[in-house]
Amino acid sequence: MTYDQPAGSLESIVRDERAFRAWYDEVLPRVYRYLAARTGGDVTLAEELTQQTFVEAIRHRGSFDGRSDVVTWLCAIGRHRLVDHYRRHDREARRQDRLIEAHRLGKQPAWDGPATRDAVERALAVLPADQRLALILRYLDDLPVRDVAHAIGRTEKATESLLVRARENFRRAHGGQTDA
C-alpha cells in the first residue's frame, strides 16, 4: 500500500475493515511522530491529537482529493488540531490571569486573603466543567446571567442554580476564601 491514494480509494479503505487496519497501521506512526515532535514531549497530548486527527480525517474523508500524499493531508489536519489546542490553552490562561488581576484590583470575584495563580487554578480545576465555564463566563468575562445561559444552552433559572453550586464548590476548593 502506498501513502498517496487516489481520492476514491480512501473511501473504499474506510469501508473495508482489513484495508483500513493496514492503512491505519502504516500511516499512524508518521502522523504521531509529526505531532509528538510539536507537543514538547507531551505524550498524552500527542496521542490525543493523533486520535482527533484520524477521527476528523475519517469524518471528512470526502475532502481528500488525492493531490497530496495522504500523510501530508493527515499532518495538516493534525497541525490544525494542535493550533486549536494551543489557542484554547492560551484563552484559558488569559482568563485565569484576568481572574487573578480582578482579585488584585478588588473586583468581583473578591477573596479575603491573597490568592495565588496556583491556588485559583487548582480550585477551578476541581470544578465540574459546566460549573467552571459558568463561573468564567459570569465573573471573568463579565457576562450577564442571561448571556451565560444562552452560551451554555440552559435557562436563566438553571444557570443561576449552576452558578450557586459553582460558587459554593469554588469556595470549598479554594479553602473558603471567596465571596464571589
Side-chain angles (χ1 to χ4, degrees):
M1 180 160 312
T2 64
Y3 290 115
D4 20 40
Q5 303 292 327
S9 74
L10 188 54
E11 185 69 39
S12 63
I13 288 171
V14 170
R15 287 192 206 134
D16 179 342
E17 188 176 334
R18 268 189 265 158
F20 178 78
R21 175 49 75 186
W23 172 79
Y24 181 79
D25 289 345
E26 187 175 345
V27 299
L28 173 72
R30 288 181 61 193
V31 174
Y32 175 79
R33 278 193 308 271
Y34 174 85
L35 291 166
R38 287 155 178 79
T39 58
D42 187 338
V43 172
T44 303
L45 178 58
E47 289 172 352
E48 181 181 327
L49 292 171
T50 301
Q51 179 182 16
Q52 290 173 10
T53 297
F54 278 93
V55 168
E56 186 170 335
I58 299 307
R59 189 175 294 139
H60 296 102
R61 63 188 172 267
S63 69
F64 178 65
D65 60 13
R67 288 186 293 168
S68 68
D69 179 81
V70 73
V71 174
T72 302
W73 180 68
L74 289 166
C75 288
I77 293 170
R79 183 177 58 249
H80 290 290
R81 297 289 62 78
L82 181 64
V83 168
D84 289 346
H85 166 79
Y86 284 123
R87 283 181 183 153
R88 278 190 307 276
H89 185 270
D90 287 346
R91 263 193 316 270
E92 183 66 25
R94 284 193 308 273
R95 283 180 174 163
Q96 289 179 4
D97 287 344
R98 287 194 305 265
L99 185 60
I100 291 166
E101 186 62 23
H103 161 65
R104 287 185 187 133
L105 298 174
K107 296 179 181 177
Q108 284 289 340
W111 292 284
D112 295 328
T116 64
R117 177 183 178 96
D118 290 342
V120 170
E121 286 178 353
R122 282 192 304 273
L124 286 172
V126 299
L127 295 178
D130 60 342
Q131 291 180 11
R132 182 173 50 247
L133 178 60
L135 280 179
I136 288 170
L137 292 173
R138 176 67 185 104
Y139 295 106
L140 202 52
D141 293 345
D142 203 26
L143 295 178
V145 173
R146 178 185 63 246
D147 292 349
V148 174
H150 179 72
I152 64 175
R154 294 184 182 218
T155 66
E156 285 186 51
K157 284 262 189 218
T159 301
E160 289 170 355
S161 296
L162 178 67
L163 284 165
V164 167
R165 289 190 310 277
R167 286 188 298 263
E168 289 171 0
N169 288 336
F170 183 85
R171 278 187 202 104
R172 269 194 297 279
H174 195 266
Q177 299 181 16
T178 182
D179 294 326

